[in-house]
Amino acid sequence: MSTKPVHAPTDQFPTHANCLHLGGIALTQLAERVGQTPFYAYDRALLSARVTSLRAALPAGIELHYAMKANPMSAVVQHMAGLVDGLDVASGRELRVALDTGMNPARISFAGPGKSETELRQAIASGITLNVESERELERAATQGQQLGLRPRVAVRVNPDYELKSSGMKMGGGPKQFGIDAERVPDVLSRIGQLDLDFEGFHIFWGSQNLKPEAIIEAHDQTFALAYRLAEHAPSALRTLNIGGGFGIPYFPGESRLDLAPIADNLARHLPQTASRLPGAAVVIELGRYLVGEAGVYVCRVIDKKVSRGHTYLVTDGGLHHHLSASGNFGQVIRKNYPVAIGNRMDGARETVSVVGPLCTPLDLLGDKMDLPAAQVGDLVVVFQSGAYGLTASPTGFLSHPEPTEVLV
Ligand SMILES: *Cc1c(COP(=O)(O)O)cnc(C)c1O
């Protein structure tokens, strides 16, 4: 077994006889079983291992939720539901998938601006927690609750009054379409007290894809402090304090895995204070990418290999229509290569190639000028770190090529 560095961590997938293995199966064999390329494959054992190691690292008493939008494939969600303490959904359709897992509705929460009347009704009828994103949404939820004869369970999504200083995607602080500005929250809490609503707690989400422990620690410090301040205005005791997620995974050269130890130490310092200031409140961390991102690969096949003025292209049957983020077009400012391998040719003489797809746009690039084992037509190109924000974050209708499939192995 060798684990050839492919420039970001791909160490969780073993190689035997020059072929990458997933879920104990050689990739070539898996491709035959799947019966088509391209496909996404997610590794069940790696999903489980990630949750186990995260739980071992974090202090006991932190609850773990899976944010489904990272990967809403129903088999993946079903598997995750057996491992985590709750599910976070972002639409009515995700809600249905979450409920189908049998997860206790009290452990499902629904965040996202612009929830439709139908989604509000579904959420209230099923007894899940609505993470309320605006004052209008709060009023709508109360009205719908009245009509349904049910008491909606609501948490206030707070747009914090601090902003993350370092890298990562900022989802809170300053003006945002998410949540209710922290300075408005005291009034909103008193309004909740006037309406027939069941107050669950706070949801404070500040960012995503962060690899810097010191930034996450700072966000946590500020999040707890804000929660204590706002809790003084709460109509009833908090049952849940959702402190967001934001844990990132390494994608690009020079990035390494997040060091959880300092984050866990800091949380362990906070928890006793939380227990005394917010007695009975569960502290929840919600994660998408961190839980599933490294457990998945995207696999496509080399259809053509051509040289244009000295530059070699591997033309594959996969591309940005299936995997927008690997193409660098999912909000990235500077395009960088995801880790890529030739899955059935993990070793051998190497060459510099660009891996492209079948679309009529130069944006359709899965790997730019990468050093890979010399591939042949029919070989399988593997894009790692593809378990999150892959298929459902991609414009599959663009150019009307066939849809890729997904398997959980
Ligand atoms: C997207 C999202 C998440 C998950 O973010 P990751 O970076 O995938 O962990 C968690 N919570 C909320 C509210 C989100 O919108």
Side-chain angles (χ1 to χ4, degrees):
M1 172 171 148
S2 79
T3 43
K4 200 153 189 79
V6 197
H7 92 199
T10 54
D11 47 351
Q12 60 273 60
F13 297 102
T15 292
H16 304 288
N18 210 14
C19 187
L20 195 78
H21 279 58
L22 273 104
I25 310 172
L27 182 68
T28 44
Q29 211 183 334
L30 178 62
E32 270 176 45
R33 277 195 209 171
V34 173
Q36 71 161 81
T37 51
F39 61 89
Y40 279 90
Y42 314 115
D43 188 317
R44 201 183 284 275
L46 291 179
L47 294 170
S48 300
R50 176 52 65 104
V51 175
T52 303
S53 64
L54 180 60
R55 284 203 194 272
L58 293 178
I62 296 280
E63 293 193 5
L64 217 53
H65 282 205
Y66 174 51
M68 273 177 59
K69 78 170 184 293
N71 188 329
M73 184 204 186
S74 56
V76 167
V77 177
Q78 183 71 52
H79 184 73
M80 297 305 291
L83 303 171
V84 296
D85 305 303
L87 297 170
D88 293 323
V89 306
S91 69
R93 205 162 133 195
E94 285 191 0
L95 174 56
R96 287 209 296 279
V97 174
L99 290 169
D100 277 347
T101 66
M103 175 69 73
N104 178 353
R107 297 187 159 276
I108 299 175
S109 56
F110 185 174
K115 295 179 196 74
S116 71
E117 299 271 334
T118 307
E119 287 174 325
L120 290 174
R121 289 178 85 84
Q122 288 170 337
I124 295 162
S126 53
I128 64 149
T129 299
L130 271 172
N131 290 340
V132 172
E133 303 265 354
S134 78
E135 295 173 55
R136 178 170 289 108
E137 189 172 89
L138 183 73
E139 299 294 331
R140 280 188 182 143
T143 306
Q144 296 275 3
Q146 260 173 358
Q147 288 173 7
L148 290 166
L150 294 168
R151 198 149 183 257
R153 179 197 293 262
V154 297
V156 176
R157 179 165 181 184
V158 182
N159 176 22
D161 46 9
Y162 52 84
E163 188 153 329
L164 219 56
K165 286 197 195 92
S166 49
S167 69
M169 195 192 297
K170 296 181 177 78
M171 303 273 293
K176 286 283 177 299
Q177 72 263 52
F178 310 113
I180 297 173
D181 292 345
E183 56 277 22
R184 289 288 312 145
V185 170
D187 285 351
V188 168
L189 291 169
S190 87
R191 183 67 183 142
I192 290 174
Q194 293 162 2
L195 296 165
D196 196 14
L197 295 169
D198 184 17
F199 177 67
E200 177 72 20
F202 297 135
H203 174 219
I204 307 179
F205 184 75
W206 39 267
S208 180
Q209 180 49 22
N210 204 299
L211 286 170
K212 295 205 169 98
E214 62 280 10
I216 294 173
I217 286 170
E218 189 195 316
H220 284 167
D221 290 348
Q222 305 224 46
T223 299
F224 282 106
L226 177 61
Y228 302 151
R229 271 199 319 276
L230 296 177
E232 288 169 20
H233 306 272
S236 54
L238 270 73
R239 291 192 298 253
T240 300
L241 171 59
N242 182 329
I243 62 170
F247 297 8
I249 62 170
Y251 287 98
F252 307 120
E255 292 182 344
S256 49
R257 289 206 174 90
L258 183 63
D259 180 9
L260 291 173
I263 297 167
D265 288 349
N266 189 55
L267 288 171
R269 272 195 298 277
H270 279 287
L271 288 182
Q273 211 195 346
T274 309
S276 72
R277 298 193 65 161
L278 306 174
V283 177
V284 173
I285 290 188
E286 57 178 10
L287 296 167
R289 184 192 316 266
Y290 187 83
L291 297 181
V292 298
E294 295 200 58
V297 296
Y298 173 64
V299 181
C300 56
R301 200 179 286 281
V302 179
I303 300 292
D304 198 356
K305 181 174 183 176
K306 56 192 274 191
V307 179
S308 168
R309 306 206 164 109
H311 192 90
T312 303
Y313 291 89
L314 300 180
V315 185
T316 70
D317 56 5
L320 82 68
H321 52 320
H322 300 161
H323 201 335
L324 189 67
S325 52
S327 78
N329 295 293
F330 192 52
Q332 293 98 328
V333 180
I334 301 166
R335 189 193 179 285
K336 292 182 199 161
N337 291 325
Y338 271 43
V340 167
I342 308 299
N344 58 308
R345 207 183 290 277
M346 295 298 284
D347 263 316
R350 302 173 80 85
E351 64 183 0
T352 300
V353 296
S354 288
V355 182
V356 301
L359 305 190
C360 307
T361 161
L363 299 177
D364 191 11
L365 190 59
L366 291 175
D368 191 27
K369 300 185 187 76
M370 296 188 85
D371 178 49
L372 295 172
Q376 305 299 319
V377 167
D379 281 357
L380 297 168
V381 172
V382 177
V383 182
F384 296 96
Q385 310 298 79
S386 298
Y389 304 108
L391 181 57
T392 59
S394 301
T396 52
F398 188 39
L399 269 86
S400 306
H401 284 285
E403 294 261 339
T405 189
E406 295 177 288
V407 288
L408 176 66
V409 295

